[in-house]
Amino acid sequence: MGPVIDITSPINGSKITEPFVVVEGNTKNISKITLNGRLISVDQEGHFIEQLVVPEGYTIISVEGIDRFGKSKESILELVRISTTTTATTTNNKQI
């Protein structure tokens, strides 16, 4: 059957405003799991939760699981972080 990865949060294609995002999900039949190439852990039920820093703009997050036979499964999450900062402009009023 191979590895199973279900990303439950955030929803793929979400637009976010915060610089951090919590990636959460469930797995089955895995012996190793990575988030953007970094090894992460799961609990006894196969649940994982990790926090990431997300730059402004378009971001791809990869979750890859490998089972004990070497079969792998990758799930991709695409997010867009929208800037919430506004640029203030001032005018300089001078008397002539």
Side-chain angles (χ1 to χ4, degrees):
M1 182 158 139
V4 176
I5 300 170
D6 177 31
I7 300 173
T8 57
S9 177
I11 297 171
N12 191 31
S14 294
K15 293 179 181 176
I16 60 173
T17 56
E18 298 298 320
F20 298 97
V21 66
V22 175
V23 179
E24 189 171 359
N26 298 297
T27 64
K28 288 183 184 176
N29 306 327
I30 64 156
S31 60
K32 175 182 166 184
I33 185 169
T34 61
L35 177 65
N36 287 349
R38 182 176 54 87
L39 193 62
I40 62 172
S41 59
V42 297
D43 64 19
Q44 290 180 341
E45 288 80 36
H47 182 259
F48 65 89
I49 185 167
E50 291 287 322
Q51 185 173 359
L52 289 175
V53 175
V54 179
E56 287 184 8
Y58 178 73
T59 298
I60 297 175
I61 297 170
S62 167
V63 180
E64 183 177 18
I66 301 172
D67 70 10
R68 62 186 178 139
F69 302 108
K71 267 183 118 172
S72 66
K73 164 76 176 176
E74 181 180 29
S75 290
I76 299 292
L77 180 63
E78 299 173 273
L79 302 175
V80 177
R81 179 171 160 222
I82 300 168
S83 174
T84 56
T85 58
T86 57
T87 304
T89 57
T90 60
T91 57
N92 192 1
N93 295 327
K94 292 184 180 180
Q95 281 186 330
I96 298 178

